[in-house]
Amino acid sequence: MPASPQGPRAAEALCARLLGKGAVSYARAIDRDAARARIAADGLPVFRAEAWKYSNVGKWYQAALAPSRAPSVREICVPDGVELHRFDDPAAAPFLTKHLGTAIDLARHPLAAVNRILLGSGVVVRVPAGCRVDEPVNVDDIGAAYEHILLIVEPGAETALVETPTSATHRVVECIVAEGARLMHRRVQPRGQAPQCGLIAARVDEEAQYSLWLLARGSELRRNDIHVTLAGRGAEAHLGGAWRLAEREHLDNQVTVDHLAPECLSRQTFRGVVGGRARAVLNGRIHIAAGAQASDASLTTKSLLESADAEVYAKPELEIYANDVRCSHGATVGALDEAMLFYCESRGIDRDAARGLLLRGFLREAIGGEEAESVLTAGILSAGEAVRAIPTEADAATVGEAQ
Amino acid sequence: MPLLDIEDLHVQVEDQVILGGVHLTVAPGEVHAVMGPNGSGKSTLANVVAGRPGYEVLSGTVRLAGEDITHASPEERALQGLFLAFQYPIEIPGVSNMEFLKAAIDSHALARGEGAPSAAAFIRRARATAERLGLDAGFLKRGVNEGFSGGEKKRNEILQMLLLEPRIAILDETDSGLDVDAMQVVAAGVNDFRDTGNAVILVTHYQRLLDYIVPDHVHVLAGGSIIRSGDRSLAQTLDRDGYGWIEDAC
């Protein structure tokens, strides 16, 4: 059996596969021509490209070259009032025509073009205008190696999306947040094995709000491209990300916030804990277009190193073409504070539990709220670090609020 | 048996000998004051007994209720009943006071072979104790020492002491940075804590705290060892005459 091609040859082989007649496609209802044209024109990026220098994308191409599994149909439940259509359903057609790919710049996100061509399973989730849903929309595995979730939050609607990409080689989550709508997007990425990449693309219209919190572990190769476009006046984006990596885990987060309209606000807060021989990358780009006056943008990223061999690359980038803006960014890398550890230990808290307390406090700066606590405990902390029975607001309420 | 027995303790920090043979014996029910000029080794003594990293014990022993803790971890010492109120309490951003205290109390309960108290029982007790120290209920929700005033930080140390009920509490310059009102609150907390089964060591530069917490024994630490011990009147002498005579004595 011939060895599978590596590096640039893997990219070439994959291009040939994608552009050839033989590419298997499952979701037939979507237009793949734009994606094919993009790949025919630009090819696929290789490890040497600036945007890919921290992630060996050749490993992902090898995974993409392997025959992908046939999609299976998974049950997806959505709360009352929310519509769900698979891409192949006729009912999905008008939404696909109007919205599919509108939040995605394929020139910037070439793997999204690969996803489009190889797409195995796609769903449209529509929250109709004015509809406010208390229960979150939960989307885990939707049954294919290449997945696309198109979430449309219509004007004035409000919802939360909780998604966990588990086995997909590439997942696109495309969010259209229309005028005055609100979307709270929570992504939980457990530790994985295989190379996995994905794109979260959100278009946020006038006075709309998109919030993302991302709680992630790494995998052999994992890259999250996150691209938020503030397209209407007064739109807001609040992005929080917390990750913990160990051993040889790899996590590359490439985040872009585009301020295209005036008076928009964006906040980005990232916290990472990196040990073993793991590698964490955060590239945070804030782009403010010429017409986007009175933009207010900030980005902070802090990392804690847990071992001498761990690697952290943190790069904020500002690209500003307007002259009336407020922009700030900051990045730090350090280690857990010995004085804090001693303070905990001097109160009888063992070292592991003390680490857990401090790590929890650190990661909470990026993702807060009670929803995050159980995920932090289960997904991020080890058993020894997970402090038992943290008093909650609910406990305090049973004793009566004294405030 | 003494609660705390320090025998011929020699300690160095970064190649510099700070303590050169300290002896100190503290019996249950006693309050000791350790006084001395700046740089005499008072804080080193407090920290080394609590097991703070960075202090090297060259020789000597520290026993807690007969058990040698000279080389025990800070956590083991705490669980055996030792408490250090920090001179500069540490801020822990993002971790609430409540969460921190519960973790500490649970560790103590488990070490005693008891179950951890329920969240509700814990909150009730923590609130009542905080109230005694003039701290409102919102205080427990704030990050540990995060943005606290100097007085709040010191009161928080006393709050922790009252909740953890140690056998021996070492208060390292708890009076520094306190106004008179705050000092009275702190002193009332310490006086509440005192009983025949526990003991307190007050490490202080000034005698004014001793107006509110009356010590049984006063020791003068200078040049790395205890050069004089006496009763409360020794503190008054120091307050009147300063520490100048000590340098002559050394």
Side-chain angles (χ1 to χ4, degrees), chain A residues 315-335:
Chain A
K315 188 169 70 163
E317 285 177 34
L318 299 182
E319 222 178 299
I320 302 172
Y321 298 99
N323 56 14
D324 171 22
V325 301
R326 275 175 56 176
C327 264
S328 65
H329 66 84
T332 64
V333 179

Side-chain angles (χ1 to χ4, degrees), chain A residues 158-173:
Chain A
E158 232 178 276
T159 193
L161 169 70
V162 179
E163 49 112 13
T164 303
T166 46
S167 58
T169 306
H170 193 278
R171 168 178 281 191
V172 171
V173 181

Side-chain angles (χ1 to χ4, degrees), chain A residues 108-262:
Chain A
R108 275 193 177 275
H109 303 290
L111 300 196
V114 178
N115 175 300
R116 184 75 58 83
I117 297 167
L118 298 177
L119 190 70
S121 180
V123 291
V124 175
V125 179
R126 174 190 177 219
V127 187
C131 174
R132 296 189 175 185
V133 191
D134 291 333
E135 249 180 280
V137 176
N138 273 291
V139 184
D140 293 336
D141 188 346
I142 62 168
Y146 300 88
E147 304 174 334
H148 193 124
I149 296 161
L150 174 59
L151 175 62
I152 303 158
V153 191
E154 292 189 346
E158 232 178 276
T159 193
L161 169 70
V162 179
E163 49 112 13
T164 303
T166 46
S167 58
T169 306
H170 193 278
R171 168 178 281 191
V172 171
V173 181
E174 186 175 15
C175 305
I176 310 294
V177 192
E179 304 85 60
R182 279 162 183 260
L183 172 60
M184 173 73 217
H185 180 181
R186 297 201 286 270
R187 163 173 284 195
V188 178
Q189 279 179 299
R191 188 167 178 176
Q193 295 304 328
Q196 289 180 314
C197 295
L199 170 67
I200 292 173
R203 191 193 78 213
V204 192
D205 292 341
E206 194 167 326
E207 299 290 338
Q209 209 182 89
Y210 172 73
S211 310
L212 169 70
W213 73 234
L214 165 73
L215 198 61
R217 300 288 306 250
S219 82
E220 179 193 357
L221 171 84
R222 176 173 280 167
R223 172 162 156 144
N224 292 321
D225 281 78
I226 298 168
H227 196 133
V228 179
T229 306
L230 298 173
R233 181 184 291 268
E236 287 187 20
H238 299 265
L239 313 182
W243 43 85
R244 181 159 197 206
L245 311 180
E247 295 167 27
R248 289 182 170 272
E249 286 177 72
H250 176 104
L251 179 68
D252 181 350
N253 297 291
Q254 299 279 326
V255 186
T256 297
V257 175
D258 264 334
H259 283 249
L260 297 187

